Amino acid sequence: QLQLVESGGGLVQPGGSLRLSCAASGVTLDYYNIGWFRQAPGKEREGVSCISSSGGTSNYADSVKGRFTISRNNAKRTVYLQMNSLKPEDTAVYYCAADWSPYSGICPLGDGKGYAYWGQGTQVTVSS
C-alpha cells in the first residue's frame, strides 16, 4: 500500500523560497504520476503541479508558472516542489497525491479527483 508523507512546509516571507518533499513508502514511485495540490481556508482544492511517471512531462497552474518547479527522484522515492518568489496568496495546506499510471507521458492536474493516494499535507504560510 502506497503511503505518502509531505514535509518542508513552514513560514516564509514574501519573495522567499521553500522546497516541499513528498516521500513514498510501501512501494516504488516509478509507475505513478505525482501531483501537488493546495487548499487555502474557505477555498476549493486546486492543482499546483504534476509530473508524469516517466518524468518526461510536468504541468503547472498558471498562478505558479515560472516560480515553482517539480522534480522526482525515483531511487529516493521522493518528489519535490521547489517554490521560489513566494507570495501571500500561495499560503495553503499543500498535499501530494499519486495516481497509478505506468509509463505515462502525461499527467492530469485539475482538482485531483483522479488521484487515489494522498498525503496528510504540510502547511505553507507566506507572510511578513
Side-chain angles (χ1 to χ4, degrees):
Q1 179 75 9
L2 176 62
Q3 294 181 320
L4 302 172
V5 178
E6 303 94 336
S7 61
L11 173 64
V12 64
Q13 293 186 340
S17 298
L18 284 174
R19 189 177 78 157
L20 303 184
S21 298
C22 173
S25 63
V27 298
T28 178
L29 273 183
D30 294 36
Y31 303 118
Y32 292 86
N33 289 343
I34 303 295
W36 283 98
F37 301 84
R38 66 186 181 187
Q39 188 164 20
K43 293 188 177 181
E44 298 287 321
R45 186 175 66 198
E46 64 171 340
V48 175
S49 182
C50 63
I51 186 166
S52 64
S53 60
S54 69
T57 298
S58 56
N59 290 322
Y60 297 91
D62 288 343
S63 59
V64 306
K65 281 181 181 176
R67 300 189 297 122
F68 291 11
T69 303
I70 193 170
S71 61
R72 65 191 298 157
N73 185 327
N74 287 345
K76 293 186 176 181
R77 298 184 180 183
T78 303
V79 174
Y80 305 97
L81 185 67
Q82 178 67 44
M83 305 187 298
N84 299 329
S85 302
L86 283 161
K87 304 175 181 180
E89 51 263 46
D90 294 317
T91 295
V93 178
Y94 283 71
Y95 301 89
C96 68
D99 171 38
W100 172 259
S101 297
Y103 313 111
S104 176
I106 60 173
C107 66
L109 200 51
D111 61 3
K113 287 181 180 177
Y115 288 77
Y117 303 94
W118 290 80
Q120 83 290 347
T122 186
Q123 176 70 46
V124 172
T125 302
V126 185
S127 175
S128 55

